[in-house]
Amino acid sequence: MSAFDQLNALLQEIKSAHPQNAEELEQFRIRFLGTKNVIKPLMGEIKTVPNEQKKDFGQLINRTVSAAEAKFNALKAELEAAAEDSDAQHLDLTAPGEPLELGSRHPIAITMNRIVSIFERIGFVVADGPEIEDDWHNFTAMNTPEDHPARDMQDTFYLLNSTEMLLRTHTSPVQARTMTSQQPPIRIIAPGRVYRNETVSARSHCQFHQVEGLYIDEGVSFADMKQTLLYFAKEMFGAPKIRLRPSFFPFTEPSAEMDVWIGMDNERNYRLSKGTGWLEIMGCGMVDPDVLEMCGIDSKKYSGFAFGMGIERQALRLYDIGDIRYFFENDVRFLRQFASAM
Ligand code: PHE
């Protein structure tokens, strides 16, 4: 048999070969592609081929080698796919799944939700406003005109492309938004994030959360406010009594700071209240008639009270946390501790 015929026979064999498993495929590889493969000796035969046929012979060699390589790669892919299929058939659908890690609520959200639900129980509804607020709602409508010194106490972040827009410094602008869009009776609770231009430390942060409350109707008195806040203090802290100290806010008159009695039973109470037994919780007061009028509500007919409290400070107290920055660092080792408190 000439070298030509032998090569042609090998090419045929390669084309019709069909190894059924990995072992047969390996034999195919050794026979046609291994270091001692059967094509190699025929390459040497080129010197016995007449000159005018050398070109054809060379091409036939190349075709045979490529056919072997192509076949090997195709068969290998085929066998691998088949193996995967049979793995899939062995998949046990009744086996227990990979456990999903459950998240937990953020301590700030837990505290805020508690406050909101305490007020919802006595008929307050949740109201909302934007965190990027305009100057009018944040300051002017809250009785703090442009040159009022009280603006210094709440320095904030302004937007570069508009001197009218700022990050709200408190949730009080939701008061103005509610009063300008609806007439009394008004009974809202407004939780949300606020911002101030303050140096971040263990006690203060440039972003924090507040809950605002507003109650406006005919004949609402200071006594109504006191009773409502006492109810809150009892529900939230189990406090038996509250104390109102005279204070000042531009948008309430008279204004007060409310403290709750946490007692002096233990070291912790003593530390939290600085030895007085009283814990400062929120600012409050009767809505200034000027604010009512600015927002389109008849101050001769209606009166009301408002209050606003910071959430971080309360959460620090409730959970005995030493540093406000933990709330914003998103360290799961910290957050995980509140998983059972939701
Ligand atoms: N907005 C005030 C603050 O951030 C709190 C407050 C709200 C006081 C409503 C009185 C009435 O300090």
Side-chain angles (χ1 to χ4, degrees):
M1 210 166 27
S2 74
F4 262 107
D5 291 342
Q6 288 182 48
L7 264 181
N8 273 319
L10 286 179
L11 189 54
Q12 268 335 106
E13 187 189 335
I14 289 166
K15 280 183 176 160
S16 57
H18 210 285
Q20 297 298 311
N21 51 44
E23 210 175 297
E24 288 179 24
L25 181 65
E26 180 60 6
Q27 280 162 15
F28 176 93
R29 189 190 66 79
I30 292 169
R31 181 163 163 75
F32 296 107
L33 299 166
T35 41
K36 290 181 179 164
N37 67 64
V38 292
I39 307 171
K40 237 181 212 172
L42 289 172
M43 293 178 184
E45 291 296 312
I46 193 150
K47 52 185 183 296
T48 67
V49 173
N51 271 347
E52 65 277 14
Q53 290 177 18
K54 279 198 199 308
K55 193 178 164 204
D56 287 346
F57 188 77
Q59 282 174 350
L60 185 57
I61 293 229
N62 286 343
R63 257 197 292 144
T64 311
V65 173
S66 329
E69 282 168 356
K71 188 86 183 198
F72 175 75
N73 288 333
L75 288 168
K76 194 172 162 219
E78 216 173 276
L79 282 178
E80 278 169 2
E84 260 172 41
D85 270 3
S86 75
D87 275 356
Q89 275 160 22
H90 291 129
L91 221 166
D92 180 1
L93 294 175
T94 64
E98 303 270 334
L100 275 185
E101 266 212 64
L102 259 197
S104 59
R105 277 200 209 287
H106 194 280
I108 295 298
I110 298 171
T111 310
M112 219 148 68
N113 290 348
R114 265 181 69 181
I115 296 170
V116 166
S117 80
I118 288 170
F119 282 101
E120 277 178 337
R121 265 180 266 152
I122 53 170
F124 283 73
V125 294
V126 172
D128 205 1
E131 286 173 27
I132 301 174
E133 189 50 282
D134 57 54
D135 188 281
W136 190 82
H137 286 96
N138 195 79
F139 288 126
T140 310
M142 290 292 107
N143 229 3
T144 315
E146 209 151 316
D147 44 12
H148 196 289
R151 282 202 179 193
D152 286 349
M153 285 156 47
Q154 299 193 357
D155 188 23
T156 186
F157 302 99
Y158 289 83
L159 270 66
L160 271 182
N161 57 0
S162 165
T163 51
E164 275 300 295
M165 303 301 284
L166 48 85
L167 297 184
R168 67 179 181 186
T169 58
H170 49 178
T171 41
S172 299
V174 183
Q175 286 188 40
R177 289 192 171 271
T178 308
M179 289 189 282
T180 50
S181 63
Q182 96 183 61
Q183 283 295 306
I186 290 171
R187 229 180 310 176
I188 55 137
I189 190 90
R193 188 173 296 168
V194 302
Y195 304 83
R196 287 190 199 172
N197 187 2
E198 274 180 33
T199 313
V200 174
S201 71
R203 302 277 303 151
S204 60
H205 208 286
C206 56
Q207 66 167 44
F208 54 102
H209 297 75
Q210 287 189 333
V211 174
E212 190 86 7
L214 177 69
Y215 189 161
I216 300 185
D217 205 344
E218 286 181 48
V220 176
S221 71
F222 198 86
D224 293 325
M225 178 176 90
K226 233 170 119 178
Q227 200 58 31
T228 306
L229 297 182
L230 175 61
Y231 154 79
F232 168 72
K234 282 183 172 163
E235 294 293 310
M236 188 75 186
F237 300 97
K241 56 183 174 180
I242 61 168
R243 170 171 91 168
L244 292 168
R245 284 178 291 112
S247 183
F248 172 79
F249 298 101
F251 38 92
T252 46
E253 183 60 37
S255 305
E257 294 282 347
M258 184 189 94
D259 304 338
V260 298
W261 177 253
I262 57 164
M264 304 233 268
D265 300 342
N266 55 47
E267 182 71 33
R268 183 169 170 237
N269 289 351
Y270 198 86
R271 186 161 45 81
L272 288 175
S273 72
K274 298 187 188 96
T276 65
W278 293 102
L279 202 60
E280 189 185 319
I281 294 299
M282 66 168 94
C284 57
M286 301 306 289
V287 178
D288 193 306
D290 287 346
V291 172
L292 293 176
E293 293 295 336
M294 242 185 301
C295 294
I297 288 175
D298 184 353
S299 65
K300 302 232 163 39
K301 187 169 175 203
Y302 296 111
S303 60
F305 62 82
F307 55 87
M309 57 188 123
I311 307 307
E312 275 75 2
R313 295 262 165 95
Q314 291 192 45
L316 291 179
R317 285 155 188 162
L318 278 170
Y319 299 118
D320 206 4
I321 296 163
D323 192 317
I324 202 170
R325 287 168 290 197
Y326 284 126
F327 290 134
F328 303 110
E329 281 171 356
N330 273 338
D331 185 335
V332 285
R333 290 169 305 177
F334 170 74
L335 296 173
R336 202 174 273 143
Q337 298 175 57
F338 304 93
S340 59
M342 15 208 324

